[in-house]
Amino acid sequence: MPELMQYLLSGVTVGAVYALVALGFTIIYNASDVVNFAQGEFVMLGGMVTVFAYGAGLPLPLAAVIAILVTAAAGVALNKLAIEPARGAPVVSLIIITIGASIFIKGVAQIVFGKQLHRFPAFSGDAPLRVMGATILPQSLWVMAGAVAVFVALWLFFTRTLTGRAVLATANNRVAAQLVGINTNYMMTLSFALSAAIGALAGVLVTPITLTSYDVGIALALKGFAAAMLGGMGNPMGALVGGLLLGILEALTAGYISSQYKDAAAFIIIIAVLFAMPQGLFGRKSTDRV
Amino acid sequence: MSARNDSAPLLRIEGLGIDFGGLRAVNDVGFSVLPGEIVSVIGPNGAGKTTLFNMISGIYLPGRGRVVLADEDVTGMAPHLLARRGLSRTFQNLQIFQTMTVLDNAVAGHHLHERGNVLADLFCLPGSRRRSRASEASARALLDRVGLGRAAHHEAGSLSYGALKRLEIARALALNPRVLLLDEPAAGCNAVETEEIDRLIAEVAAEGVAILLVEHDMKMVMRISNHIVVLDHGEMIAEGDPGSVSRDPRVIEAYLGTQATEAADAER
Amino acid sequence: MLSVEGLRSRYGRIEVLHGIDLTVGSGEIVTVVGANGAGKTTLLRCLSGIQPVSGGSILFRGETLTAVPAHRRVARGLAQSPEGRQIFTNLSVEDNLRLGAYLFADDRVEKDMDEAFALFPILKQKRNLSAGGLSGGQQQMLAIARALMGRPSCLLLDEPSMGLAPILVAQIFDVVKGMRGLGVTVLLVEQNAFGALSIADRGYVMETGRITMSGPAAELVADERIREAYLGI
Amino acid sequence: EIRIGATLSETGGASFLGDPQGKTLKMLVDEINANGGVLGEEIRLFMYDDGGDPNRARTFATRLIEDDEVVAVIGGTTTGTSMAIIPVFEEEEIPFISLAGAIEIIDPVRPYTFKTPHTDRMACAKIFEDMQARGITRIGMISGSDGFGASMRNQCLQIVGDYAIEVLADETYAPADADMTPQLTNIKSNAQIEAVLNPGFGQGPAIVTRNYAQLAIDLPLYQSHGVASDGFIELAGAQAAEGVRLPGTALLVADLLAEDDPQRPVVEAYKAAYEGAHATPVSTFGGYAHDALRILVDAMERAGSSDPQAVRDAIEETSGLVGTTGTVTMSADDHLGLTLDAFRMLEVRDGAWTLVD
Amino acid sequence: MRLPPKYTTLLVLALLIALAPFFFPSSFYYRVGALIFVNGIAVTGLVILIGYAGQISLGHAGFAGIGAYACALAPVHLGLHPGAAILLGAAISGALAWVVGRPILRLQGYYLAVASLGFGILVAMILTNEAQITGGPDGIAVPDLGLRPVLRDLGLDLSNAEFWYVFSALALGLGAWLALNLHQSPTGRALRALHGSEVAARTVGVDVARLKLQAFVISAVYASVSGSLLAQMNRFVTPDVAGYMHSIEMVTMTVLGGAGSVLGAILGATLLTALPQALTVFQEYEHLMLGLIMMLVMIFMREGLLPSILRRIRGRSE
Ligand SMILES: Nc1ncnc2c1ncn2[C@@H]1O[C@H](COP(=O)(O)OP(=O)(O)OP(=O)(O)O)[C@@H](O)[C@H]1O
Ligand SMILES: Nc1ncnc2c1ncn2[C@@H]1O[C@H](COP(=O)(O)OP(=O)(O)OP(=O)(O)O)[C@@H](O)[C@H]1O
Ligand SMILES: [Mg+2]
Ligand SMILES: [Mg+2]
């Protein structure tokens, strides 16, 4: 029994990491139908900038805030310099731009930050907490809290604010959005800034657990993407549940079946779920009629 | 009217219905269309006309009832199988192959008749080439017929709304259908253009095609229909020849409105 | 109110508007009629700013609009009900309407919404459903209602009667006529030329990207050429 | 000038290995040239980053030979890239010194292929010897599923029988995994296990070590030479890393070496130079490149020529060359030339590497 | 007389391939050329899937992996001739695509992308983990195709690089010809039609599920052959060939060049294969430059290299 508990705690820890990354995809996707392949790089930037700001002697919270701001600025720059000039391009082209951006950001990080692994201290120490015979690190609780907080914020944003709905409208029909007075460029900028900030926050929270280096982005983005799809792309609830589910699945497979094939199990389940629910767990079918 | 009973119907609908959530979008609708006949379905917005089309053409799975195409029960059959049985349609919300040329759009409508084998197509075997050429020729003729001959090589996405409507008709005709479903073919066309479409539809019907038409342009409907079915809130509230339907008080109240009827009368 | 001079516009390399001159006076209802592909939709798109202009000028309330982006034109009082309806299919009917008043956050929004619902009761019934599930005509109502939510001083309507049942067509024309009383200027593009001309003050006839005729609506209705080419009488 | 080529994994999954290797080569070549070069000629280094992709490595190998016309090549950071390019050098008869661990590279011996790192098998042997000495007979393994981890796991499993040690648990983790507690829980719940071995490099071993402490597993933990650097202690946290053992090279404990240790001057010089030029601490892997270049230069000087054939013959005759990894003495049937004492068993004590005696 | 676009494309391709060697400074460039062609084959398959049918796959490297490992394993374990191993790989890939395609292709857009991604990862994972058979992450040697000695006996003595340049060029030519045939054929038109509107395609009689599956299988065979050729050219293969980075690279090549056109996609393959070689002069700035160039191409040539270039040329001539 304590084993099961330990697997679950591990799963929730990892799942919260995936969920945070998956949540980051949500806003840009909702504003433009683009899955931003550079999202993982935002996570990396969040962690890396914190490492260096902290290393330069700043207190950790300040370093984290700086990292989030810097990354948000990078998101804005990405939109202004690469996405906005390509306005009207097909969605696949925009995706390739984000892939290019991801390679570019990684290339810059490699030069600026070097190729070493880094970490900074956990927020509340490393003393494990005991839960029903299993243990969990306090930092995992931070990550979970972060995921839940971002989820709630996003959920409120999309369901309770006019701006949130304007973001959705921008993706749904850009021309119509302009016709009702929505500044679609601003919505895109805003969504890149927010997505990048969420990514950076994820980086800040998870780095004490996962460590960071210039090239952690891709692996995180991949799992975050899979989690978001499992839950239903664009839906904050889907990102949260998808992430946690993916993490728990992996942990249980590693624990009970085979650690070699834990990623395989995760993807098989994703495919199986999509087979039954082609829009993911919480995704809504779009209702375009003929 | 009596002629209706003479030959066997090409399309027969019996007790058709479907619900969306709690909404009875269509309920217990039944009628039939004979070869060469033009049957119009009219009714207020949201009455269930398009939904009815979607059920007949296999896009929605009917919740109740049957669709019979030339004596075969085709209820719930996949659209491409229905197409192979000669059922063809146009859409109220345009469904154009945007990035293909106008000609290719029409040729695609002819797909059934040039359907070959992938391997033959991959290796460009003579049969495949011959079929392609034949469909192209007939597609061109159709484009000329709907007045798009000159736009054949334009990208379909660059046409105006009215032109796209006509392209859809051409594509539907390319199938050489036995039954043709037209959902508001004259929307976006002015009176003169509508008359052209009228003529086209009448011609096609004269060739023996059974035509089911949804249209809000009452002048057109009254002009060309052999038979009219009126839906309201998913139910059939009236049916009959144009004259009787247009005088039916329930139809006037639910759909035509007194003003419109007066205007039409005045014009006449 | 609105004056257009020598307006040119192109899709890629193909010019489709070859110098349009047109004026709409304050509180006036002006209609543009023309065959499929004449360029009516393109003209309205230019006016609302979602179509780039390659020449000429647009003056709205004395200010030139040519360089103003689409979303700012809405703030200046220009609203459009576009061709093809262009509603937000993934959002609810209510959200569609609310976004129509995106620029406003006062009590009047509620009131306007109630008015829209009064105008099209079916929308009220479906307010919480996703707009993509509406029937074609219902979507058309939504598009018109959404444009009205923007409190326009000048309303651009692209074939508002399309797909509407006769009873509603009459109602739409009544609404447009009613705009005159509210001081709203209307530029109306209609295929139902007879209906449009009978409520409009003035009309323009457009052929392949050019204005070929213009005058008081009553005169145009009476014009033989127009009756033959557009009214089918 | 003498043209020397290198294809390294400076980026990609193996960049922990390839990056210090690239930096080392550049630094040393500059140093050699500043001191008058080799045989009176300047060395020109053609270095490419294959990103760990064997296909790219193969392309660069061809490029080095055909386009850059080099006389010898150092590289192949990983076993995969090395194995992919060996046929090119064998066919073109260009001496090649690999920096990767697997034994397949030099066993069977190929005429033009050499390597500097001790094999993974030797690392396993060193660890098992140490376990034997401590009376450990039943162990659990948790390995990275990347090339390094998988290859070492494989070789350890092959020789573990020779030491009368039994592997009771055999877990793996993917290179980017964030938490290894499920695997470690499985190991922990097997009461018979007396020690745990973790072949791997990158962040994996650091996370394993942290999770190990989190689960309060009270058994000796062995890491591999894949994490032999000061960075490891920092990443894993001094507390969690306390007591971790691994087979390392002299480089890591330069200051702890005996005064008369022949390697001491070599490793001290390299360490000083490297840490002077770069802000990062030296790593074992950079040392491999250091040794490879030294072997090459030594061979050229002895051969008195940079002709590939002559250089190859001279490399094979390398004898008593002191490198960072150990003292290299090659022969026609030993293209590695290292013995087990090249490895030193190290242990983390009070947050620093110490020699286990 | 004007040539139909199909022959124009093939002619341009043939000319480029035949003339390029005259500009090669060293025989290394044959290797780059051959790599371009091998990538070009995979990318041509993706033109059918992405460009014609509008279905995204992020898992095609999985098929490349199957093709590659068929060449490594079949000759050893089944005693198959290496040439036959290519066919075996293609057959397995095709069959597997047919099996997994059925459920996967019901999905759309990103959901299809993630499902195919999962498939690719599964293949890569098996190749990595089943080390006893596949050699694990460090890879495995591949037997030689053995065609060079035959050619030598026939009096055609080509170096290894030259041989692969010619051989893969022929394979690419064949692949391109087939894909171009398909474009103008009923099947190709139906594929493009379902790209435009699935509903409308259905109602004109297109069996959408079946057609998508066919496109998926065909593109899988292309990817498989590409993987096979890569393995035999390198005489060595690692699971990287099946990795998702390779999948993403293939899709990127396709879109960058212009997904709808065979020549365009091959141009994309050329760019992304040759560019890293050119960028080595920037040393550690290599990746940064690569990312930058990808972004710039897509920003300024949003439909992909070739379509945008053609548009510009036509625009000027008018
Ligand atoms: N997919 C769906 N989801 C939810 N409701 C639907 C769906 N399809 C149709 N409906 C509802 O069913 C009713 C009938 O719609 P339908 O489109 O058939 O009307 P219609 O008669 O074609 O109207 P119009 O003349 O406006 O085109 C409408 O109230 C519509 O909202
Ligand atoms: N996206 C586009 N790309 C290229 N050409 C276009 C595009 N949209 C419209 N056109 C062309 O511009 C011209 C004018 O089209 P427009 O849509 O303005 O006509 P319209 O008068 O509104 O016609 P309709 O009554 O059919 O709606 C037509 O010739 C059309 O083919
Ligand atoms: Mg309808
Ligand atoms: Mg129009």
Side-chain angles (χ1 to χ4, degrees):
Chain A
M1 232 25 220
E3 277 97 35
L4 174 63
M5 195 61 206
Q6 187 62 52
Y7 301 152
L8 288 177
L9 287 184
S10 162
V12 174
T13 301
V14 176
V17 175
Y18 296 163
L20 262 176
V21 181
L23 285 163
F25 281 109
T26 314
I27 303 188
I28 290 182
Y29 176 79
N30 276 347
S32 62
D33 281 346
V34 169
V35 166
N36 171 27
F37 275 80
Q39 188 64 32
E41 267 53 47
F42 291 155
V43 181
M44 179 272 290
L45 279 181
M48 273 296 192
V49 175
T50 312
V51 165
F52 278 79
Y54 178 66
L58 295 179
L60 195 50
L62 184 60
V65 170
I66 290 177
I68 291 171
L69 292 179
V70 167
T71 312
V76 171
L78 173 59
N79 179 55
K80 283 286 170 203
L81 301 178
I83 303 291
E84 210 172 286
R87 183 179 14 206
V91 169
V92 271
S93 299
L94 294 178
I95 292 171
I96 300 297
I97 290 180
T98 68
I99 293 180
S102 133
I103 296 175
F104 176 79
I105 296 174
K106 201 164 68 174
V108 173
Q110 166 194 331
I111 294 161
V112 177
F113 302 126
K115 294 173 196 158
Q116 272 65 44
L117 281 166
H118 298 281
R119 91 178 263 271
F120 45 82
F123 300 175
S124 322
D126 285 328
L129 306 169
R130 304 198 64 82
V131 187
M132 294 169 67
T135 58
I136 187 167
L137 292 174
Q139 189 66 25
S140 302
L141 299 181
W142 277 100
V143 176
M144 288 172 215
V148 170
V150 171
F151 158 72
V152 170
L154 279 187
W155 184 77
L156 289 176
F157 178 68
F158 283 119
T159 57
R160 293 295 150 85
T161 70
L162 191 60
T163 313
R165 268 168 289 177
V167 167
L168 294 173
T170 303
N172 192 191
N173 190 329
R174 195 147 184 157
V175 167
Q178 290 176 332
L179 286 180
V180 297
I182 295 171
N183 183 346
T184 50
N185 281 341
Y186 170 74
M187 287 299 153
M188 290 292 288
T189 304
L190 178 72
S191 51
F192 270 85
L194 287 178
S195 268
I198 293 174
L201 176 67
V204 169
L205 292 176
V206 307
T207 298
I209 295 179
T210 62
L211 317 188
T212 192
S213 71
Y214 77 103
D215 61 355
V216 293
I218 295 190
L220 282 172
L222 196 70
K223 286 291 175 60
F225 173 57
M229 301 310 296
L230 175 62
M233 192 48 128
N235 186 330
M237 182 62 126
L240 185 69
V241 174
L244 289 175
L245 215 56
L246 198 61
I248 291 173
L249 271 171
E250 285 184 6
L252 290 181
T253 316
Y256 288 119
I257 304 170
S258 146
S259 48
Q260 280 194 330
Y261 282 101
K262 72 174 164 42
D263 289 357
F267 274 105
I268 288 174
I269 302 233
I270 290 178
I271 293 174
V273 166
L274 291 183
F275 185 61
M277 306 168 89
Q279 314 286 323
L281 293 170
F282 295 89
R284 265 198 318 168
K285 209 167 145 59
S286 85
T287 43
D288 285 345
R289 300 196 45 208
V290 292
Chain B
M1 183 65 212
S2 60
R4 289 207 80 225
N5 306 323
D6 289 351
S7 53
L10 256 179
L11 177 69
R12 196 170 77 239
I13 291 156
E14 297 171 3
L16 214 53
I18 192 173
D19 302 341
F20 295 112
L23 177 78
R24 299 221 125 170
V26 174
N27 193 36
D28 198 22
V29 171
F31 57 87
S32 55
V33 193
L34 306 179
E37 194 182 37
I38 301 174
V39 173
S40 292
V41 181
I42 61 172
N45 296 117
K49 306 178 292 295
T50 301
T51 307
L52 179 68
F53 269 27
N54 285 345
M55 284 190 287
I56 297 174
S57 59
I59 289 168
Y60 289 166
L61 187 66
R64 304 172 287 277
R66 296 206 308 152
V67 180
V68 180
L69 184 67
D71 288 330
E72 184 189 5
D73 186 341
V74 296
T75 320
M77 191 178 272
H80 66 274
L81 297 177
L82 286 167
R84 284 177 203 176
R85 284 164 176 73
L87 186 119
S88 172
R89 70 169 288 184
T90 67
F91 298 90
Q92 181 175 17
N93 289 342
L94 296 175
Q95 299 291 317
I96 291 292
F97 308 138
Q98 296 273 352
T99 55
M100 292 162 70
T101 61
V102 169
L103 180 64
D104 267 355
N105 264 272
V107 178
H110 201 255
H111 178 73
L112 269 185
H113 305 281
E114 54 164 19
R115 214 157 43 90
N117 158 325
V118 212
L119 289 179
D121 286 351
L122 264 177
F123 290 96
C124 200
L125 298 184
S128 140
R129 243 174 310 167
R130 189 159 10 85
R131 277 193 303 270
S132 268
R133 236 172 278 133
S135 355
E136 232 172 84
S138 67
R140 267 182 190 285
L142 274 171
L143 288 181
D144 286 337
R145 211 165 153 188
V146 298
L148 287 175
R150 297 209 311 171
H153 290 290
H154 293 189
E155 200 169 271
S158 73
L159 295 188
S160 76
Y161 188 87
L164 289 175
K165 279 255 74 131
R166 277 178 283 149
L167 176 56
E168 275 216 338
I169 297 176
R171 187 179 65 194
L173 287 176
L175 200 89
N176 290 333
R178 289 195 289 169
V179 177
L180 179 61
L181 274 48
L182 298 169
D183 201 346
E184 304 198 11
C189 294
N190 67 32
V192 177
E193 289 155 347
T194 305
E195 274 172 33
E196 286 164 21
I197 291 174
D198 263 19
R199 254 196 306 281
L200 181 65
I201 294 174
E203 273 171 37
V204 173
E207 291 160 15
V209 178
I211 293 178
L212 193 56
L213 172 75
V214 166
E215 183 52 65
H216 288 299
D217 184 332
M218 276 311 107
K219 271 190 275 175
M220 170 175 182
V221 169
M222 296 302 164
R223 227 168 18 228
I224 66 171
S225 312
N226 301 97
H227 189 78
I228 296 179
V229 174
V230 189
L231 294 188
D232 189 17
H233 293 298
E235 313 266 354
M236 266 173 76
I237 56 166
E239 139 174 68
D241 61 79
S244 67
V245 165
S246 63
R247 282 187 300 273
D248 188 318
R250 279 197 300 173
V251 179
I252 293 175
E253 197 214 2
Y255 182 58
L256 298 172
T258 39
Q259 256 184 325
T261 322
E262 278 163 18
D265 284 346
E267 240 177 83
R268 208 172 287 137
Chain C
M1 182 103 183
L2 181 67
S3 90
V4 175
E5 259 173 55
L7 187 72
R8 292 171 177 276
S9 181
R10 50 176 65 233
Y11 291 100
R13 284 169 290 115
I14 301 162
E15 189 175 83
V16 295
L17 296 183
H18 318 285
I20 301 285
D21 299 310
L22 172 147
T23 56
V24 186
S26 186
E28 230 187 349
I29 299 173
V30 170
T31 183
V32 178
V33 297
N36 287 156
K40 309 177 293 296
T41 298
T42 308
L43 169 64
L44 290 200
R45 285 166 56 90
C46 288
L47 295 181
S48 60
I50 49 180
Q51 166 79 21
V53 166
S54 51
S57 68
I58 304 170
L59 240 68
F60 183 61
R61 294 157 130 182
E63 289 170 278
T64 165
L65 278 190
T66 327
V68 180
H71 64 92
R72 293 247 182 75
R73 299 191 194 188
V74 183
R76 299 197 184 184
L78 210 58
Q80 183 178 12
S81 158
E83 179 181 80
R85 308 184 287 249
Q86 312 281 359
I87 54 165
F88 302 116
T89 49
N90 293 340
L91 300 185
S92 71
V93 170
E94 184 168 342
D95 282 349
N96 267 272
L97 291 175
R98 180 63 191 87
L99 283 168
Y102 175 72
L103 299 173
F104 310 104
D106 48 23
D107 300 340
R108 212 183 118 187
V109 175
E110 271 310 299
K111 233 183 72 220
D112 285 351
M113 190 146 0
D114 288 340
E115 268 174 36
F117 285 146
L119 191 58
F120 303 115
I122 185 72
L123 295 183
K124 186 164 191 178
Q125 274 178 38
K126 306 218 167 222
R127 61 192 294 172
N128 292 319
L129 299 182
S130 116
L134 296 181
S135 84
Q138 292 163 348
Q139 292 187 357
Q140 184 65 51
M141 299 175 214
L142 182 58
I144 297 169
R146 188 183 64 189
L148 293 175
M149 291 292 294
R151 302 176 197 171
S153 56
C154 176
L155 190 57
L156 308 172
L157 297 173
D158 200 344
E159 307 200 22
S161 76
M162 178 153 68
L164 292 182
I167 197 168
L168 271 157
V169 173
Q171 192 187 336
I172 290 293
F173 283 135
D174 281 345
V175 170
V176 174
K177 243 192 300 188
M179 290 290 150
R180 207 181 266 130
L182 299 173
V184 177
T185 310
V186 179
L187 183 59
L188 175 67
V189 165
E190 253 300 335
Q191 288 296 8
N192 184 346
F194 188 80
L197 286 171
S198 48
I199 57 164
D201 299 309
R202 290 187 301 115
Y204 288 88
V205 177
M206 208 167 156
E207 275 170 40
T208 55
R210 290 194 172 76
I211 300 286
T212 52
M213 214 186 283
S214 65
E219 277 177 28
L220 291 178
V221 180
D223 189 293
E224 236 355 273
R225 282 168 300 171
I226 289 184
R227 289 177 80 87
E228 195 174 313
Y230 300 107
L231 307 181
I233 307 175
Chain D
E1 68 182 12
I2 299 176
R3 298 173 167 221
I4 293 180
T7 167
L8 302 171
S9 311
E10 289 179 276
T11 57
S15 62
F16 304 104
L17 284 58
D19 186 46
Q21 291 169 350
K23 287 186 174 135
T24 300
L25 285 185
K26 265 190 234 155
M27 179 187 88
L28 291 182
V29 166
D30 286 348
E31 195 182 292
I32 290 171
N33 287 340
N35 293 334
V38 177
L39 304 173
E41 292 192 62
E42 259 202 4
I43 293 187
R44 183 145 166 228
L45 178 67
F46 291 85
M47 190 161 86
Y48 299 118
D49 170 21
D50 57 43
D53 176 0
N55 182 39
R56 293 188 67 187
R58 174 106 185 190
T59 307
F60 284 129
T62 314
R63 180 169 178 179
L64 286 169
I65 294 174
E66 303 286 347
D67 213 40
D68 303 329
E69 300 175 337
V70 300
V71 296
V73 176
I74 293 173
T77 298
T78 66
T79 304
T81 52
S82 295
M83 294 302 288
I85 58 183
I86 285 172
V88 180
F89 302 117
E90 292 296 331
E91 185 167 335
E92 302 292 336
E93 308 191 331
I94 298 284
F96 167 58
I97 307 180
S98 164
L99 308 181
I103 192 158
E104 292 99 314
I105 295 170
I106 42 110
D107 181 20
V109 171
R110 298 175 181 82
Y112 289 86
T113 307
F114 304 86
K115 83 180 203 103
T116 51
H118 23 239
T119 62
D120 297 343
R121 180 166 298 181
M122 291 163 80
C124 298
K126 187 79 184 175
I127 292 170
F128 291 149
E129 273 180 8
D130 192 63
M131 288 178 171
Q132 238 177 356
R134 288 165 111 183
I136 293 166
T137 55
R138 286 181 292 263
I139 64 164
M141 275 176 71
I142 173 167
S143 337
S145 64
D146 50 78
F148 185 95
S151 158
M152 181 159 167
R153 163 182 171 270
N154 207 2
Q155 302 192 21
C156 287
L157 288 175
Q158 277 171 20
I159 62 163
V160 69
D162 303 347
Y163 296 86
I165 293 175
E166 229 183 319
V167 177
L168 295 184
D170 182 16
E171 301 281 342
T172 65
Y173 57 84
D177 281 0
D179 187 278
M180 285 49 151
T181 53
Q183 291 96 319
L184 289 173
T185 303
N186 285 349
I187 291 177
K188 185 186 179 187
S189 59
N190 187 332
Q192 292 184 298
I193 290 175
E194 297 160 345
V196 177
L197 168 58
N198 175 205
F201 73 105
Q203 72 253 51
I207 296 176
V208 166
T209 308
R210 293 169 61 76
N211 290 157
Y212 207 77
Q214 175 193 342
L215 294 176
I217 301 179
D218 208 9
L219 305 171
L221 174 60
Y222 285 84
Q223 290 288 353
S224 69
H225 55 301
V227 292
S229 74
D230 291 337
F232 170 74
I233 302 178
E234 196 182 311
L235 292 173
Q239 240 176 333
E242 189 68 18
V244 167
R245 286 192 179 188
L246 57 71
T249 60
L251 195 52
L252 210 51
V253 283
D255 41 345
L256 299 182
L257 294 177
E259 280 302 331
D260 57 348
D261 193 312
Q263 279 188 273
R264 182 157 183 153
V266 177
V267 294
E268 276 187 338
Y270 170 54
K271 190 175 156 99
Y274 188 92
E275 290 178 353
H278 306 281
T280 50
V282 278
S283 85
T284 317
F285 310 109
Y288 300 156
H290 168 274
D291 293 2
L293 190 67
R294 285 276 178 257
I295 290 172
L296 197 59
V297 169
D298 172 61
M300 285 177 182
E301 276 168 353
R302 275 186 289 112
S305 122
S306 61
D307 171 60
Q309 186 63 43
V311 172
R312 188 217 84 89
D313 293 344
I315 295 178
E316 201 165 71
E317 283 154 16
T318 302
S319 169
L321 185 130
V322 181
T324 61
T325 317
T327 304
V328 184
T329 303
M330 301 216 193
S331 68
D333 47 31
D334 180 5
H335 276 191
L336 168 62
L338 289 173
T339 56
L340 254 197
D341 10 303
F343 269 128
R344 296 155 201 251
M345 188 50 72
L346 308 179
E347 185 180 297
V348 179
R349 256 181 247 145
D350 299 327
W353 295 108
T354 54
L355 280 161
V356 179
D357 300 314
Chain E
M1 206 196 109
R2 265 193 68 182
L3 274 174
K6 177 163 93 185
Y7 296 108
T8 322
T9 304
L10 286 174
L11 202 69
V12 169
L13 200 60
L15 273 177
L16 287 176
I17 292 173
L19 293 181
F22 292 104
F23 301 94
F24 286 174
S26 85
S27 71
F28 156 67
Y29 292 84
Y30 284 105
R31 157 94 189 168
V32 177
L35 276 177
I36 290 173
F37 304 152
V38 167
N39 284 331
I41 293 171
V43 159
T44 304
L46 283 182
V47 167
I48 296 175
L49 188 69
I50 300 178
Y52 297 178
Q55 309 296 310
I56 289 277
S57 164
L58 290 184
H60 262 53
F63 297 115
I66 290 169
Y69 274 82
C71 287
L73 302 179
V76 179
H77 294 278
L78 305 178
L80 228 52
H81 182 271
I86 302 182
L87 299 181
L88 178 70
I92 297 176
S93 293
L96 203 61
W98 193 73
V99 173
V100 299
R102 274 171 180 255
I104 281 185
L105 288 166
R106 293 185 354 152
L107 303 173
Q108 292 181 336
Y110 293 114
Y111 293 93
L112 174 59
V114 78
S116 55
L117 177 77
F119 163 77
I121 285 181
L122 246 62
V123 172
M125 201 166 279
I126 291 171
L127 295 178
T128 309
N129 287 337
E130 299 308 314
Q132 300 89 330
I133 307 169
T134 63
D138 284 338
I140 190 168
V142 178
D144 190 33
L145 186 56
L147 216 58
R148 251 176 84 203
V150 178
L151 286 180
R152 194 169 324 131
D153 293 344
L154 293 175
L156 194 62
D157 195 4
L158 297 174
S159 78
N160 194 34
E162 287 164 351
F163 167 76
W164 280 104
Y165 183 84
V166 175
F167 188 68
S168 52
L170 291 175
L172 174 64
L174 176 68
W177 179 66
L178 294 177
L180 290 166
N181 282 344
L182 200 63
H183 190 260
Q184 282 313 315
S185 76
T187 308
R189 199 176 302 108
L191 282 172
R192 287 179 288 139
L194 77 86
H195 189 177
S197 161
E198 258 187 47
V199 196
R202 276 180 224 279
T203 57
V204 298
V206 176
D207 186 344
V208 168
R210 187 185 143 99
L211 203 64
K212 278 190 198 170
L213 193 60
Q214 285 172 343
F216 193 64
V217 169
I218 293 173
S219 63
V221 169
Y222 272 86
S224 176
V225 170
S226 155
S228 292
L229 293 181
L230 186 68
Q232 293 192 328
M233 179 163 75
N234 285 344
R235 304 277 317 276
F236 189 81
V237 61
T238 66
D240 290 282
V241 70
Y244 61 85
M245 289 309 288
H246 190 204
S247 290
I248 290 178
E249 191 181 37
M250 291 194 312
V251 174
T252 305
M253 286 174 178
T254 313
V255 176
L256 206 62
S261 100
V262 171
L263 199 58
I266 293 174
L267 197 62
T270 309
L271 185 74
L272 278 198
T273 312
L275 202 57
Q277 294 297 327
L279 292 179
T280 53
V281 296
F282 293 104
Q283 304 203 357
E284 62 260 54
Y285 296 93
E286 185 186 327
H287 292 264
L288 185 156
M289 295 295 293
L290 181 67
L292 201 60
I293 291 174
M294 278 172 64
M295 287 196 278
L296 290 177
V297 168
M298 281 286 99
I299 293 170
F300 294 108
M301 303 182 167
R302 53 191 58 175
E303 286 139 283
L305 277 171
L306 191 70
S308 303
I309 292 174
L310 288 181
R311 195 169 286 245
R312 241 157 257 189
I313 292 173
R314 282 202 203 110
R316 202 165 302 141
S317 68
E318 219 137 293

